[in-house]
mmCIF file of all heavy atoms in Angstrom:
data_model
loop_
_atom_site.group_PDB
_atom_site.id
_atom_site.type_symbol
_atom_site.label_atom_id
_atom_site.label_comp_id
_atom_site.label_asym_id
_atom_site.label_seq_id
_atom_site.Cartn_x
_atom_site.Cartn_y
_atom_site.Cartn_z
ATOM 1 N N THR A 43 63.813 113.392 49.676
ATOM 2 C CA THR A 43 63.340 112.013 49.919
ATOM 3 C C THR A 43 63.262 111.351 48.572
ATOM 4 O O THR A 43 63.351 112.010 47.486
ATOM 5 C CB THR A 43 61.928 112.046 50.550
ATOM 6 O OG1 THR A 43 61.036 112.710 49.604
ATOM 7 C CG2 THR A 43 61.869 112.817 51.862
ATOM 8 N N PRO A 44 63.071 110.052 48.570
ATOM 9 C CA PRO A 44 62.923 109.368 47.248
ATOM 10 C C PRO A 44 61.769 109.973 46.414
ATOM 11 O O PRO A 44 61.915 110.168 45.193
ATOM 12 C CB PRO A 44 62.684 107.919 47.622
ATOM 13 C CG PRO A 44 63.383 107.732 48.923
ATOM 14 C CD PRO A 44 63.178 109.033 49.659
ATOM 15 N N GLN A 45 60.697 110.258 47.075
ATOM 16 C CA GLN A 45 59.535 110.860 46.362
ATOM 17 C C GLN A 45 59.892 112.331 45.853
ATOM 18 O O GLN A 45 59.485 112.691 44.773
ATOM 19 C CB GLN A 45 58.271 110.963 47.235
ATOM 20 C CG GLN A 45 57.047 111.511 46.549
ATOM 21 C CD GLN A 45 56.677 110.599 45.327
ATOM 22 O OE1 GLN A 45 56.574 109.344 45.512
ATOM 23 N NE2 GLN A 45 56.466 111.173 44.155
ATOM 24 N N GLY A 46 60.629 113.053 46.690
ATOM 25 C CA GLY A 46 61.065 114.412 46.217
ATOM 26 C C GLY A 46 61.933 114.357 45.050
ATOM 27 O O GLY A 46 61.810 115.166 44.099
ATOM 28 N N TRP A 47 62.870 113.416 45.003
ATOM 29 C CA TRP A 47 63.775 113.214 43.818
ATOM 30 C C TRP A 47 62.915 112.866 42.623
ATOM 31 O O TRP A 47 63.093 113.378 41.529
ATOM 32 C CB TRP A 47 64.825 112.134 44.073
ATOM 33 C CG TRP A 47 66.023 112.638 44.806
ATOM 34 C CD1 TRP A 47 66.252 112.473 46.143
ATOM 35 C CD2 TRP A 47 67.073 113.433 44.304
ATOM 36 N NE1 TRP A 47 67.403 113.078 46.465
ATOM 37 C CE2 TRP A 47 67.958 113.675 45.393
ATOM 38 C CE3 TRP A 47 67.402 113.913 43.043
ATOM 39 C CZ2 TRP A 47 69.138 114.419 45.214
ATOM 40 C CZ3 TRP A 47 68.569 114.613 42.895
ATOM 41 C CH2 TRP A 47 69.461 114.868 43.935
ATOM 42 N N ALA A 48 61.984 111.923 42.798
ATOM 43 C CA ALA A 48 61.083 111.540 41.658
ATOM 44 C C ALA A 48 60.291 112.727 41.156
ATOM 45 O O ALA A 48 60.177 112.926 39.887
ATOM 46 C CB ALA A 48 60.157 110.343 42.091
ATOM 47 N N ASP A 49 59.723 113.509 42.036
ATOM 48 C CA ASP A 49 58.960 114.685 41.628
ATOM 49 C C ASP A 49 59.823 115.676 40.872
ATOM 50 O O ASP A 49 59.375 116.263 39.840
ATOM 51 C CB ASP A 49 58.292 115.356 42.818
ATOM 52 C CG ASP A 49 57.221 114.501 43.495
ATOM 53 O OD1 ASP A 49 56.714 113.547 42.847
ATOM 54 O OD2 ASP A 49 56.902 114.759 44.640
ATOM 55 N N CYS A 50 61.062 115.921 41.341
ATOM 56 C CA CYS A 50 61.968 116.824 40.687
ATOM 57 C C CYS A 50 62.338 116.305 39.265
ATOM 58 O O CYS A 50 62.257 117.075 38.311
ATOM 59 C CB CYS A 50 63.248 116.996 41.511
ATOM 60 S SG CYS A 50 64.336 118.298 40.885
ATOM 61 N N TRP A 51 62.650 115.013 39.162
ATOM 62 C CA TRP A 51 62.994 114.424 37.845
ATOM 63 C C TRP A 51 61.838 114.518 36.845
ATOM 64 O O TRP A 51 61.987 114.745 35.739
ATOM 65 C CB TRP A 51 63.483 113.009 38.025
ATOM 66 C CG TRP A 51 64.884 112.962 38.486
ATOM 67 C CD1 TRP A 51 65.352 112.804 39.709
ATOM 68 C CD2 TRP A 51 66.124 113.191 37.655
ATOM 69 N NE1 TRP A 51 66.738 112.861 39.762
ATOM 70 C CE2 TRP A 51 67.206 113.145 38.552
ATOM 71 C CE3 TRP A 51 66.335 113.421 36.317
ATOM 72 C CZ2 TRP A 51 68.562 113.267 38.093
ATOM 73 C CZ3 TRP A 51 67.630 113.602 35.874
ATOM 74 C CH2 TRP A 51 68.675 113.494 36.729
ATOM 75 N N ASN A 52 60.599 114.339 37.380
ATOM 76 C CA ASN A 52 59.415 114.466 36.538
ATOM 77 C C ASN A 52 59.186 115.925 36.100
ATOM 78 O O ASN A 52 58.702 116.107 34.959
ATOM 79 C CB ASN A 52 58.202 113.926 37.249
ATOM 80 C CG ASN A 52 58.228 112.394 37.374
ATOM 81 O OD1 ASN A 52 58.810 111.720 36.609
ATOM 82 N ND2 ASN A 52 57.576 111.904 38.401
ATOM 83 N N ALA A 53 59.502 116.879 36.969
ATOM 84 C CA ALA A 53 59.267 118.246 36.690
ATOM 85 C C ALA A 53 60.332 118.880 35.776
ATOM 86 O O ALA A 53 60.094 119.868 35.096
ATOM 87 C CB ALA A 53 59.145 119.070 37.962
#
Side-chain angles (χ1 to χ4, degrees):
T43 62
Q45 184 61 49
W47 277 101
D49 292 343
C50 186
W51 281 97
N52 288 333

